[in-house]
Amino acid sequence: MAIQKKIPEVLAPAGDFERLVAALTFGADAVYLGGKEFGMRATPQNFDRQQMEQAVELAHSKGVPVYVTCNTLPSNDEIQRLPDYLHFLVDIGVDALIVADIGVLMLCKREIPEMEIHMSTQTGIVNYLTANELYRLGVKRVVLARELSLDAIREIREKTPPDLEIEAFVHGAMCMSFSGRCLLSSYMTHRDANRGACAQPCRWGYYLMEEKRPGEYYKLEEDEKGSYILNAKDLCMIEYIDKLVQAGITSLKIEGRAKSAYYVSVVTNAYRCAVDQYLRDPAHFQLDSWLLEEVKKVSHRQYSTGFYFGRPEQGQYYENGGYIRSFDVIGVVRRWEDGALYGEQRNKFGEGDWIEVLPPRNRAERLQVRELKNGAGEPIDFAPHAAMEFSFACERPFPPGSILRKKVSI
Protein backbone atom coordinates (compact mmCIF):
# COMPACT_ATOMS: atom_id res chain seq x y z
CA MET A 1 0.00 0.00 0.00
CA ALA A 2 1.37 3.42 -0.99
CA ILE A 3 2.15 5.78 1.87
CA GLN A 4 0.40 9.14 1.72
CA LYS A 5 2.92 12.00 1.56
CA LYS A 6 2.54 15.07 3.74
CA ILE A 7 2.72 18.61 2.33
CA PRO A 8 4.73 20.43 3.43
CA GLU A 9 6.95 17.47 4.17
CA VAL A 10 9.55 17.56 6.94
CA LEU A 11 12.36 15.45 5.45
CA ALA A 12 14.97 14.31 7.97
CA PRO A 13 18.38 12.65 7.55
CA ALA A 14 19.24 9.19 8.89
CA GLY A 15 22.94 8.32 8.84
CA ASP A 16 22.46 5.08 10.77
CA PHE A 17 19.76 3.17 12.64
CA GLU A 18 20.01 5.28 15.81
CA ARG A 19 19.52 8.46 13.79
CA LEU A 20 16.67 6.86 11.87
CA VAL A 21 14.87 6.13 15.14
CA ALA A 22 15.54 9.72 16.24
CA ALA A 23 14.00 11.11 13.05
CA LEU A 24 10.93 8.89 13.33
CA THR A 25 10.49 9.58 17.05
CA PHE A 26 10.69 13.34 16.70
CA GLY A 27 8.23 13.74 13.86
CA ALA A 28 9.79 13.36 10.41
CA ASP A 29 7.25 13.04 7.60
CA ALA A 30 9.90 11.26 5.49
CA VAL A 31 13.51 10.17 5.89
CA TYR A 32 16.46 9.88 3.53
CA LEU A 33 19.35 7.49 4.02
CA GLY A 34 22.12 5.75 2.14
CA GLY A 35 23.59 2.31 1.63
CA LYS A 36 27.22 1.25 1.71
CA GLU A 37 27.65 2.30 -1.91
CA PHE A 38 26.43 4.98 -4.31
CA GLY A 39 25.50 7.59 -1.66
CA MET A 40 27.03 11.01 -1.01
CA ARG A 41 28.12 10.27 2.56
CA ALA A 42 31.02 7.78 2.67
CA THR A 43 30.88 7.05 6.41
CA PRO A 44 31.39 3.72 8.18
CA GLN A 45 27.76 3.84 9.31
CA ASN A 46 25.16 4.00 6.56
CA PHE A 47 23.02 0.89 6.05
CA ASP A 48 23.99 -2.55 4.83
CA ARG A 49 21.32 -4.51 3.01
CA GLN A 50 19.87 -6.16 6.09
CA GLN A 51 19.76 -2.86 7.97
CA MET A 52 18.22 -1.13 4.96
CA GLU A 53 15.40 -3.66 4.86
CA GLN A 54 14.82 -3.25 8.60
CA ALA A 55 14.86 0.54 8.22
CA VAL A 56 12.19 0.48 5.53
CA GLU A 57 10.05 -1.88 7.57
CA LEU A 58 10.30 0.31 10.67
CA ALA A 59 9.60 3.56 8.82
CA HIS A 60 6.64 2.09 6.95
CA SER A 61 5.17 0.78 10.21
CA LYS A 62 4.93 4.46 11.22
CA GLY A 63 3.60 5.61 7.85
CA VAL A 64 6.88 7.31 6.89
CA PRO A 65 8.35 6.94 3.37
CA VAL A 66 12.06 6.19 2.84
CA TYR A 67 14.16 7.83 0.14
CA VAL A 68 17.53 6.22 -0.61
CA THR A 69 20.49 8.21 -1.89
CA CYS A 70 22.02 6.89 -5.08
CA ASN A 71 23.56 10.22 -5.96
CA THR A 72 27.28 9.75 -6.44
CA LEU A 73 28.80 9.98 -9.91
CA PRO A 74 29.60 6.27 -10.37
CA SER A 75 32.75 5.13 -12.10
CA ASN A 76 32.83 2.56 -14.90
CA ASP A 77 33.69 -0.33 -12.60
CA GLU A 78 30.72 0.48 -10.31
CA ILE A 79 28.10 0.48 -13.05
CA GLN A 80 27.96 -3.30 -13.30
CA ARG A 81 27.03 -3.55 -9.61
CA LEU A 82 24.28 -0.97 -9.82
CA PRO A 83 21.38 -2.96 -11.40
CA ASP A 84 21.44 -5.60 -8.66
CA TYR A 85 21.38 -2.86 -6.01
CA LEU A 86 18.47 -1.09 -7.71
CA HIS A 87 16.39 -4.27 -7.83
CA PHE A 88 17.14 -4.91 -4.17
CA LEU A 89 15.80 -1.47 -3.25
CA VAL A 90 12.59 -2.16 -5.16
CA ASP A 91 12.20 -5.56 -3.49
CA ILE A 92 12.38 -4.12 0.05
CA GLY A 93 9.87 -1.37 -0.71
CA VAL A 94 11.99 1.77 -0.86
CA ASP A 95 9.71 4.68 -1.80
CA ALA A 96 12.08 6.73 -3.96
CA LEU A 97 15.67 6.99 -5.15
CA ILE A 98 17.67 10.22 -5.07
CA VAL A 99 19.94 10.26 -8.13
CA ALA A 100 22.26 12.86 -9.67
CA ASP A 101 23.72 11.23 -12.78
CA ILE A 102 21.72 11.20 -16.03
CA GLY A 103 23.06 7.74 -16.88
CA VAL A 104 21.87 6.41 -13.51
CA LEU A 105 18.48 8.04 -14.10
CA MET A 106 18.06 6.30 -17.46
CA LEU A 107 19.26 2.99 -16.02
CA CYS A 108 16.61 3.31 -13.32
CA LYS A 109 13.91 3.98 -15.90
CA ARG A 110 14.90 0.81 -17.79
CA GLU A 111 15.60 -1.51 -14.85
CA ILE A 112 13.07 -0.35 -12.26
CA PRO A 113 10.49 1.83 -14.04
CA GLU A 114 8.10 1.56 -11.10
CA MET A 115 10.51 3.33 -8.73
CA GLU A 116 9.92 7.01 -7.98
CA ILE A 117 12.95 9.15 -8.84
CA HIS A 118 14.05 12.34 -7.10
CA MET A 119 16.76 14.32 -8.90
CA SER A 120 19.48 15.32 -6.44
CA THR A 121 20.75 18.81 -5.68
CA GLN A 122 24.05 17.52 -7.16
CA THR A 123 22.40 17.85 -10.57
CA GLY A 124 22.39 21.64 -10.21
CA ILE A 125 18.73 22.37 -11.03
CA VAL A 126 18.40 26.16 -11.18
CA ASN A 127 15.64 26.81 -13.75
CA TYR A 128 12.23 25.63 -14.92
CA LEU A 129 13.60 24.36 -18.25
CA THR A 130 15.78 21.76 -16.55
CA ALA A 131 13.00 20.85 -14.14
CA ASN A 132 10.55 20.33 -17.01
CA GLU A 133 12.96 18.21 -19.05
CA LEU A 134 13.64 16.01 -16.03
CA TYR A 135 9.89 15.67 -15.51
CA ARG A 136 9.54 14.50 -19.11
CA LEU A 137 12.20 11.88 -18.38
CA GLY A 138 10.05 10.53 -15.56
CA VAL A 139 11.41 12.39 -12.54
CA LYS A 140 8.83 12.83 -9.78
CA ARG A 141 10.74 15.37 -7.65
CA VAL A 142 13.54 17.87 -8.17
CA VAL A 143 15.86 18.80 -5.30
CA LEU A 144 16.76 22.35 -6.20
CA ALA A 145 20.24 23.86 -6.09
CA ARG A 146 20.89 25.69 -2.83
CA GLU A 147 21.89 28.83 -4.71
CA LEU A 148 18.31 29.80 -5.62
CA SER A 149 16.23 32.63 -4.18
CA LEU A 150 12.60 32.30 -3.16
CA ASP A 151 11.63 34.36 -6.23
CA ALA A 152 13.48 31.94 -8.53
CA ILE A 153 11.83 28.96 -6.84
CA ARG A 154 8.43 30.60 -7.17
CA GLU A 155 8.95 30.99 -10.92
CA ILE A 156 10.03 27.36 -11.25
CA ARG A 157 6.85 26.33 -9.44
CA GLU A 158 4.69 28.48 -11.72
CA LYS A 159 6.25 27.08 -14.90
CA THR A 160 6.36 23.36 -14.08
CA PRO A 161 3.61 20.73 -13.83
CA PRO A 162 1.73 20.82 -10.49
CA ASP A 163 2.51 17.15 -9.81
CA LEU A 164 6.28 17.73 -10.03
CA GLU A 165 7.37 17.90 -6.41
CA ILE A 166 9.91 20.53 -5.33
CA GLU A 167 12.34 19.81 -2.53
CA ALA A 168 14.81 22.30 -1.06
CA PHE A 169 17.31 22.33 1.79
CA VAL A 170 16.11 24.48 4.68
CA HIS A 171 18.60 23.68 7.45
CA GLY A 172 22.19 22.56 7.94
CA ALA A 173 25.65 22.87 6.43
CA MET A 174 26.15 24.64 3.13
CA CYS A 175 28.95 24.22 0.60
CA MET A 176 31.25 26.79 -0.96
CA SER A 177 31.08 24.97 -4.30
CA PHE A 178 28.09 25.06 -6.60
CA SER A 179 25.63 22.47 -5.32
CA GLY A 180 28.46 20.41 -3.89
CA ARG A 181 30.54 20.09 -7.07
CA CYS A 182 34.02 20.46 -5.62
CA LEU A 183 37.52 19.24 -6.47
CA LEU A 184 39.32 20.90 -3.55
CA SER A 185 39.01 17.94 -1.17
CA SER A 186 40.16 15.44 -3.79
CA TYR A 187 43.09 17.65 -4.78
CA MET A 188 44.32 18.29 -1.25
CA THR A 189 43.51 15.05 0.57
CA HIS A 190 42.64 12.47 -2.14
CA ARG A 191 39.15 12.29 -0.61
CA ASP A 192 36.61 12.90 -3.37
CA ALA A 193 33.69 15.15 -2.38
CA ASN A 194 31.74 13.91 -5.39
CA ARG A 195 31.94 10.38 -4.06
CA GLY A 196 30.84 11.13 -0.51
CA ALA A 197 34.24 11.49 1.17
CA CYS A 198 34.65 15.28 1.53
CA ALA A 199 37.35 16.31 4.03
CA GLN A 200 35.90 19.86 4.17
CA PRO A 201 39.11 21.78 3.35
CA CYS A 202 36.88 24.83 2.82
CA ARG A 203 36.60 24.99 6.62
CA TRP A 204 40.36 25.16 7.20
CA GLY A 205 42.32 28.28 8.08
CA TYR A 206 44.50 29.77 5.33
CA TYR A 207 47.21 32.41 5.02
CA LEU A 208 48.50 34.31 2.01
CA MET A 209 52.22 33.96 1.18
CA GLU A 210 54.06 35.70 -1.68
CA GLU A 211 56.25 33.23 -3.60
CA LYS A 212 59.49 35.22 -3.21
CA ARG A 213 59.00 35.67 0.53
CA PRO A 214 58.73 32.12 1.88
CA GLY A 215 57.73 31.95 5.50
CA GLU A 216 56.17 35.41 5.50
CA TYR A 217 52.44 34.99 6.02
CA TYR A 218 50.01 37.80 5.33
CA LYS A 219 46.56 38.13 6.82
CA LEU A 220 43.65 37.99 4.41
CA GLU A 221 40.97 39.87 6.31
CA GLU A 222 40.89 39.16 10.00
CA ASP A 223 43.97 39.13 12.24
CA GLU A 224 47.22 37.23 12.74
CA LYS A 225 45.26 34.04 13.36
CA GLY A 226 44.33 33.97 9.71
CA SER A 227 40.99 33.91 7.94
CA TYR A 228 38.66 31.09 7.00
CA ILE A 229 37.90 32.50 3.56
CA LEU A 230 35.86 29.54 2.28
CA ASN A 231 33.92 28.77 5.47
CA ALA A 232 30.16 28.95 4.83
CA LYS A 233 27.71 29.64 7.60
CA ASP A 234 24.99 27.09 8.29
CA LEU A 235 21.53 27.45 6.80
CA CYS A 236 18.48 28.03 9.01
CA MET A 237 15.05 28.84 7.56
CA ILE A 238 12.83 27.84 10.49
CA GLU A 239 11.47 31.38 10.85
CA TYR A 240 10.26 31.40 7.25
CA ILE A 241 8.19 28.24 6.86
CA ASP A 242 5.33 30.28 5.40
CA LYS A 243 7.52 31.88 2.73
CA LEU A 244 9.04 28.51 1.77
CA VAL A 245 5.60 26.95 1.30
CA GLN A 246 4.23 30.00 -0.52
CA ALA A 247 7.13 29.78 -2.98
CA GLY A 248 5.98 26.27 -3.89
CA ILE A 249 8.40 24.07 -1.94
CA THR A 250 6.69 20.81 -1.03
CA SER A 251 9.52 19.12 0.90
CA LEU A 252 11.63 20.88 3.55
CA LYS A 253 14.95 19.05 3.68
CA ILE A 254 17.21 18.99 6.74
CA GLU A 255 20.90 18.37 6.00
CA GLY A 256 22.85 16.07 8.31
CA ARG A 257 23.29 12.38 7.57
CA ALA A 258 26.78 12.63 9.06
CA LYS A 259 25.56 14.41 12.19
CA SER A 260 24.58 13.01 15.58
CA ALA A 261 21.31 11.46 16.70
CA TYR A 262 20.95 14.42 19.07
CA TYR A 263 21.16 16.83 16.13
CA VAL A 264 18.58 14.82 14.18
CA SER A 265 16.25 14.69 17.19
CA VAL A 266 16.39 18.38 18.05
CA VAL A 267 16.29 19.84 14.53
CA THR A 268 13.59 17.44 13.32
CA ASN A 269 11.52 18.25 16.41
CA ALA A 270 11.92 21.99 15.86
CA TYR A 271 10.85 21.88 12.20
CA ARG A 272 8.03 19.46 13.01
CA CYS A 273 6.64 21.87 15.61
CA ALA A 274 7.20 24.87 13.31
CA VAL A 275 5.33 23.23 10.42
CA ASP A 276 2.51 22.20 12.75
CA GLN A 277 2.31 25.80 13.97
CA TYR A 278 2.16 27.02 10.37
CA LEU A 279 -0.58 24.56 9.44
CA ARG A 280 -2.75 25.68 12.35
CA ASP A 281 -2.88 29.24 10.99
CA PRO A 282 -1.01 29.70 7.69
CA ALA A 283 -2.11 33.29 7.19
CA HIS A 284 -0.68 34.50 10.51
CA PHE A 285 2.44 32.38 10.93
CA GLN A 286 5.03 33.81 13.29
CA LEU A 287 7.46 31.34 14.77
CA ASP A 288 7.32 30.79 18.51
CA SER A 289 10.58 32.10 19.95
CA TRP A 290 11.39 28.84 21.75
CA LEU A 291 11.67 27.03 18.41
CA LEU A 292 14.38 29.37 17.18
CA GLU A 293 16.20 28.78 20.46
CA GLU A 294 15.91 25.01 19.94
CA VAL A 295 17.95 24.96 16.73
CA LYS A 296 20.66 26.89 18.56
CA LYS A 297 20.95 24.08 21.12
CA VAL A 298 22.68 21.75 18.66
CA SER A 299 26.27 22.08 17.52
CA HIS A 300 26.23 24.52 14.59
CA ARG A 301 28.08 27.26 12.80
CA GLN A 302 26.62 30.74 12.74
CA TYR A 303 23.27 30.67 10.97
CA SER A 304 22.21 32.46 7.82
CA THR A 305 19.32 32.32 5.33
CA GLY A 306 21.58 31.27 2.46
CA PHE A 307 20.47 32.53 -0.96
CA TYR A 308 16.72 32.53 -0.26
CA PHE A 309 16.48 36.31 0.04
CA GLY A 310 19.07 37.09 -2.61
CA ARG A 311 22.85 36.88 -2.72
CA PRO A 312 24.06 36.72 0.89
CA GLU A 313 26.25 39.56 2.09
CA GLN A 314 27.17 37.71 5.28
CA GLY A 315 27.32 34.13 4.05
CA GLN A 316 30.80 33.31 5.33
CA TYR A 317 32.41 33.14 8.76
CA TYR A 318 36.06 34.19 8.89
CA GLU A 319 37.19 33.84 12.50
CA ASN A 320 37.42 30.05 12.84
CA GLY A 321 36.13 26.82 11.40
CA GLY A 322 34.60 25.54 14.61
CA TYR A 323 31.07 24.96 15.82
CA ILE A 324 28.97 26.72 18.43
CA ARG A 325 27.86 24.24 21.11
CA SER A 326 25.82 25.22 24.15
CA PHE A 327 24.33 21.90 25.30
CA ASP A 328 25.50 18.32 25.77
CA VAL A 329 23.12 15.40 25.50
CA ILE A 330 23.43 13.48 28.79
CA GLY A 331 20.94 10.69 28.30
CA VAL A 332 17.91 9.21 26.59
CA VAL A 333 14.67 8.37 28.40
CA ARG A 334 13.71 4.71 28.32
CA ARG A 335 10.58 4.86 30.49
CA TRP A 336 8.75 6.63 33.31
CA GLU A 337 7.43 4.58 36.17
CA ASP A 338 6.14 5.32 39.69
CA GLY A 339 7.50 8.85 39.90
CA ALA A 340 10.93 8.05 38.43
CA LEU A 341 12.48 8.65 35.05
CA TYR A 342 14.64 5.78 33.75
CA GLY A 343 17.22 6.29 31.05
CA GLU A 344 20.54 5.47 29.44
CA GLN A 345 23.49 7.81 30.00
CA ARG A 346 25.43 9.60 27.23
CA ASN A 347 27.53 12.19 29.11
CA LYS A 348 28.39 12.76 32.75
CA PHE A 349 25.87 14.47 35.03
CA GLY A 350 25.11 14.37 38.72
CA GLU A 351 22.78 14.85 41.66
CA GLY A 352 21.47 18.41 41.84
CA ASP A 353 22.22 19.33 38.22
CA TRP A 354 19.67 21.39 36.34
CA ILE A 355 18.85 19.75 33.02
CA GLU A 356 16.34 19.93 30.20
CA VAL A 357 14.06 17.14 28.98
CA LEU A 358 13.02 17.36 25.32
CA PRO A 359 9.98 15.17 24.57
CA PRO A 360 9.11 14.32 20.95
CA ARG A 361 7.01 16.93 19.14
CA ASN A 362 6.99 19.21 22.15
CA ARG A 363 8.80 21.90 24.08
CA ALA A 364 11.70 21.16 26.44
CA GLU A 365 11.14 21.36 30.18
CA ARG A 366 13.70 22.23 32.83
CA LEU A 367 14.07 20.14 35.98
CA GLN A 368 16.59 19.29 38.68
CA VAL A 369 18.12 15.83 39.11
CA ARG A 370 17.09 14.44 42.48
CA GLU A 371 17.49 10.99 44.03
CA LEU A 372 19.87 9.80 41.30
CA LYS A 373 20.34 6.01 41.21
CA ASN A 374 22.22 3.51 39.10
CA GLY A 375 20.67 0.59 37.22
CA ALA A 376 20.66 -1.52 40.37
CA GLY A 377 18.66 1.12 42.23
CA GLU A 378 21.59 2.24 44.40
CA PRO A 379 21.97 5.97 45.20
CA ILE A 380 24.86 7.65 43.33
CA ASP A 381 26.29 11.17 43.15
CA PHE A 382 27.16 11.02 39.45
CA ALA A 383 26.35 9.00 36.34
CA PRO A 384 29.90 8.83 34.94
CA HIS A 385 29.83 5.91 32.49
CA ALA A 386 28.52 6.06 28.94
CA ALA A 387 25.53 3.80 28.30
CA MET A 388 24.97 3.09 32.02
CA GLU A 389 21.38 2.82 33.22
CA PHE A 390 20.11 5.34 35.73
CA SER A 391 16.97 6.77 37.27
CA PHE A 392 15.99 9.87 39.17
CA ALA A 393 12.85 11.31 40.73
CA CYS A 394 10.47 12.95 38.28
CA GLU A 395 6.88 13.86 39.08
CA ARG A 396 5.52 13.95 35.55
CA PRO A 397 5.95 11.29 32.86
CA PHE A 398 8.02 11.78 29.71
CA PRO A 399 7.75 9.39 26.74
CA PRO A 400 10.50 6.97 25.71
CA GLY A 401 13.04 8.57 23.39
CA SER A 402 12.92 11.96 25.11
CA ILE A 403 16.32 13.65 25.17
CA LEU A 404 18.06 14.71 28.38
CA ARG A 405 20.55 17.54 27.97
CA LYS A 406 22.64 19.86 30.10
CA LYS A 407 23.98 23.35 29.40
CA VAL A 408 27.70 23.33 28.67
CA SER A 409 29.79 25.06 31.33
CA ILE A 410 31.84 27.90 29.88
Side-chain angles (χ1 to χ4, degrees), residues 12-151:
D16 61 15
F17 217 93
E18 181 185 14
R19 284 168 272 192
L20 170 68
V21 171
L24 297 175
T25 301
F26 282 85
D29 291 319
V31 295
Y32 67 102
L33 51 87
K36 296 293 186 181
E37 286 189 290
F38 307 113
M40 282 296 295
R41 285 294 181 270
T43 66
Q45 293 85 16
N46 288 322
F47 292 77
D48 62 26
R49 291 198 176 196
Q50 181 179 1
Q51 292 167 335
M52 184 87 73
E53 186 171 5
Q54 293 169 344
V56 172
E57 182 178 355
L58 175 62
H60 284 183
S61 72
K62 299 180 180 297
V64 173
V66 176
Y67 312 144
V68 171
T69 59
C70 198
N71 57 344
T72 56
L73 306 179
S75 59
N76 285 332
D77 63 331
E78 290 175 306
I79 294 299
Q80 61 184 346
R81 300 197 299 274
L82 190 52
D84 177 68
Y85 182 61
L86 297 179
H87 285 286
F88 162 75
L89 296 177
V90 170
D91 291 343
I92 64 173
V94 166
D95 298 278
L97 291 189
I98 305 170
V99 306
D101 184 79
I102 293 295
V104 174
L105 167 63
M106 302 316 293
L107 179 66
C108 289
K109 301 312 293 183
R110 290 193 299 271
E111 292 281 340
I112 50 170
E114 67 273 35
M115 177 63 77
E116 183 173 304
I117 302 298
H118 299 175
M119 215 64 190
S120 171
T121 189
Q122 299 295 125
T123 310
I125 302 164
V126 298
N127 57 63
Y128 59 83
L129 176 63
T130 302
N132 279 319
E133 292 304 326
L134 290 169
Y135 177 78
R136 291 188 182 96
L137 291 173
V139 169
K140 176 65 175 176
R141 176 183 295 190
V142 288
V143 188
L144 297 181
R146 304 184 208 201
E147 296 76 23
L148 293 180
S149 67
L150 285 172
D151 288 340

Side-chain angles (χ1 to χ4, degrees), residues 311-357:
R311 185 177 298 277
E313 297 297 327
Q314 299 292 330
Q316 294 166 257
Y317 185 60
Y318 298 103
E319 293 182 8
N320 60 62
Y323 286 85
I324 302 166
R325 183 172 62 89
S326 58
F327 278 80
D328 276 336
V329 57
I330 60 171
V332 179
V333 173
R334 295 307 181 206
R335 71 183 192 281
W336 181 91
E337 187 177 284
D338 298 330
L341 204 61
Y342 293 80
E344 185 176 290
Q345 191 254 23
R346 292 292 183 268
N347 280 292
K348 184 179 179 179
F349 69 100
E351 179 76 19
D353 285 349
W354 283 96
I355 67 171
E356 289 186 356
V357 186

Side-chain angles (χ1 to χ4, degrees), residues 25-26 269 331-337 340-343 357-363 365 394 396-404:
T25 301
F26 282 85
N269 187 69
V332 179
V333 173
R334 295 307 181 206
R335 71 183 192 281
W336 181 91
E337 187 177 284
L341 204 61
Y342 293 80
V357 186
L358 179 66
R361 304 182 71 143
N362 217 322
R363 185 173 184 169
E365 295 191 28
C394 182
R396 62 148 293 183
F398 288 93
S402 298
I403 299 295
L404 306 176

Side-chain angles (χ1 to χ4, degrees), residues 213-279:
R213 293 174 174 84
E216 294 184 25
Y217 300 97
Y218 297 89
K219 61 184 180 182
L220 297 173
E221 179 150 341
E222 295 301 312
D223 56 21
E224 66 277 2
K225 295 180 181 179
S227 178
Y228 289 71
I229 59 173
L230 300 175
N231 189 28
K233 293 180 179 179
D234 281 357
L235 177 65
C236 179
M237 287 293 289
I238 195 168
E239 296 178 90
Y240 307 102
I241 300 296
D242 54 341
K243 291 179 172 57
L244 294 167
V245 176
Q246 290 162 12
I249 298 170
T250 51
S251 180
L252 311 177
K253 189 169 193 173
I254 299 167
E255 182 274 339
R257 280 196 293 134
K259 295 182 179 176
S260 69
Y262 172 65
Y263 169 94
V264 174
S265 300
V266 173
V267 177
T268 300
N269 187 69
Y271 278 84
R272 167 79 279 135
C273 292
V275 167
D276 289 346
Q277 182 189 345
Y278 164 78
L279 292 173

Side-chain angles (χ1 to χ4, degrees), residues 379-391:
I380 53 175
D381 292 328
F382 293 96
H385 305 300
M388 71 173 286
E389 296 179 354
F390 65 83
S391 66

